[in-house]
Tab-separated table of all heavy atoms in Angstrom:
chain	number	residue	atom	x	y	z
X	381	VAL	N	-6.976	-3.664	-22.825
X	381	VAL	CA	-7.509	-4.074	-21.527
X	381	VAL	C	-8.848	-3.400	-21.234
X	381	VAL	O	-9.789	-4.038	-20.769
X	381	VAL	CB	-6.505	-3.731	-20.396
X	381	VAL	CG1	-7.091	-4.034	-19.029
X	381	VAL	CG2	-5.198	-4.478	-20.613
X	389	VAL	N	-21.442	-0.326	-23.768
X	389	VAL	CA	-21.916	1.053	-23.639
X	389	VAL	C	-22.456	1.529	-24.980
X	389	VAL	O	-21.709	1.791	-25.916
X	389	VAL	CB	-20.783	1.976	-23.122
X	389	VAL	CG1	-21.214	3.430	-23.148
X	389	VAL	CG2	-20.390	1.570	-21.711
X	397	MET	N	-25.037	9.253	-19.621
X	397	MET	CA	-23.882	9.784	-18.884
X	397	MET	C	-23.701	11.276	-19.198
X	397	MET	O	-23.399	12.075	-18.308
X	397	MET	CB	-22.613	8.989	-19.218
X	397	MET	CG	-22.653	7.586	-18.625
X	397	MET	SD	-21.032	6.785	-18.496
X	397	MET	CE	-20.639	6.591	-20.210
X	399	SER	N	-26.046	13.330	-20.032
X	399	SER	CA	-27.135	14.017	-19.335
X	399	SER	C	-26.812	14.176	-17.843
X	399	SER	O	-26.984	15.263	-17.267
X	399	SER	CB	-28.426	13.214	-19.532
X	399	SER	OG	-29.456	13.758	-18.758
X	422	LEU	N	-22.574	27.353	2.928
X	422	LEU	CA	-21.341	26.900	2.270
X	422	LEU	C	-21.738	25.926	1.172
X	422	LEU	O	-22.783	25.274	1.236
X	422	LEU	CB	-20.454	26.181	3.288
X	422	LEU	CG	-19.015	25.855	2.893
X	422	LEU	CD1	-18.173	27.132	2.863
X	422	LEU	CD2	-18.398	24.850	3.859
X	450	TYR	N	-17.432	15.456	0.851
X	450	TYR	CA	-18.467	16.492	0.716
X	450	TYR	C	-18.618	16.989	-0.716
X	450	TYR	O	-19.376	17.896	-0.973
X	450	TYR	CB	-18.133	17.678	1.637
X	450	TYR	CG	-16.637	17.942	1.689
X	450	TYR	CD1	-15.994	18.557	0.634
X	450	TYR	CD2	-15.879	17.506	2.772
X	450	TYR	CE1	-14.628	18.743	0.656
X	450	TYR	CE2	-14.504	17.694	2.807
X	450	TYR	CZ	-13.879	18.316	1.736
X	450	TYR	OH	-12.529	18.487	1.761
X	495	GLN	N	-13.954	8.534	6.048
X	495	GLN	CA	-14.854	7.585	5.380
X	495	GLN	C	-14.132	6.390	4.759
X	495	GLN	O	-14.755	5.375	4.465
X	495	GLN	CB	-15.712	8.318	4.341
X	495	GLN	CG	-14.986	8.752	3.064
X	495	GLN	CD	-14.240	10.089	3.206
X	495	GLN	OE1	-13.954	10.534	4.313
X	495	GLN	NE2	-13.933	10.733	2.097
X	523	ALA	N	-6.684	14.019	1.072
X	523	ALA	CA	-7.026	12.967	2.046
X	523	ALA	C	-5.984	11.871	2.100
X	523	ALA	O	-5.860	11.171	3.107
X	523	ALA	CB	-8.390	12.361	1.706
X	525	SER	N	-3.027	12.180	2.527
X	525	SER	CA	-2.056	12.492	3.576
X	525	SER	C	-2.567	12.114	4.955
X	525	SER	O	-1.812	12.117	5.922
X	525	SER	CB	-1.730	13.988	3.562
X	525	SER	OG	-1.071	14.314	2.367
X	538	SER	N	-5.117	-6.188	4.490
X	538	SER	CA	-5.006	-7.262	5.466
X	538	SER	C	-6.231	-8.180	5.420
X	538	SER	O	-6.122	-9.393	5.550
X	538	SER	CB	-4.845	-6.650	6.857
X	538	SER	OG	-4.932	-7.630	7.855
X	550	ASN	N	-7.775	16.251	-7.736
X	550	ASN	CA	-8.168	17.477	-8.451
X	550	ASN	C	-7.079	18.543	-8.352
X	550	ASN	O	-7.322	19.713	-8.596
X	550	ASN	CB	-9.537	17.977	-7.978
X	550	ASN	CG	-9.519	18.496	-6.543
X	550	ASN	OD1	-8.454	18.705	-5.954
X	550	ASN	ND2	-10.693	18.717	-5.978
X	585	VAL	N	-14.870	10.237	-19.229
X	585	VAL	CA	-15.924	9.473	-18.549
X	585	VAL	C	-15.878	7.993	-18.912
X	585	VAL	O	-16.198	7.134	-18.083
X	585	VAL	CB	-17.305	10.121	-18.842
X	585	VAL	CG1	-17.769	9.849	-20.269
X	585	VAL	CG2	-18.348	9.666	-17.826
X	628	ARG	N	-3.459	30.077	-7.645
X	628	ARG	CA	-3.218	29.408	-8.927
X	628	ARG	C	-3.434	30.359	-10.104
X	628	ARG	O	-4.077	31.392	-9.961
X	628	ARG	CB	-4.047	28.141	-9.055
X	628	ARG	CG	-5.512	28.375	-9.065
X	628	ARG	CD	-6.280	27.062	-9.050
X	628	ARG	NE	-7.676	27.332	-9.397
X	628	ARG	CZ	-8.637	26.449	-9.301
X	628	ARG	NH1	-8.388	25.235	-8.881
X	628	ARG	NH2	-9.860	26.767	-9.646
X	668	ALA	N	-32.606	21.983	-16.135
X	668	ALA	CA	-33.347	23.138	-15.620
X	668	ALA	C	-34.372	22.691	-14.575
X	668	ALA	O	-34.580	23.367	-13.554
X	668	ALA	CB	-34.026	23.868	-16.774
X	670	VAL	N	-34.188	20.020	-12.621
X	670	VAL	CA	-33.487	19.660	-11.391
X	670	VAL	C	-33.088	20.925	-10.625
X	670	VAL	O	-33.279	21.027	-9.408
X	670	VAL	CB	-32.243	18.786	-11.707
X	670	VAL	CG1	-31.353	18.654	-10.482
X	670	VAL	CG2	-32.669	17.415	-12.214
X	675	ARG	N	-33.672	24.662	-6.124
X	675	ARG	CA	-33.852	26.038	-5.641
X	675	ARG	C	-35.110	26.149	-4.787
X	675	ARG	O	-35.078	26.656	-3.667
X	675	ARG	CB	-33.922	27.000	-6.833
X	675	ARG	CG	-34.445	28.395	-6.488
X	675	ARG	CD	-34.201	29.373	-7.608
X	675	ARG	NE	-32.784	29.663	-7.741
X	675	ARG	CZ	-32.160	30.644	-7.064
X	675	ARG	NH1	-32.828	31.426	-6.233
X	675	ARG	NH2	-30.875	30.836	-7.218
Side-chain angles (χ1 to χ4, degrees):
Chain X
V381 175
V389 173
M397 289 199 293
S399 173
L422 191 72
Y450 37 75
Q495 73 276 19
S525 294
S538 171
N550 68 12
V585 74
R628 64 186 194 189
V670 168
R675 166 167 290 272

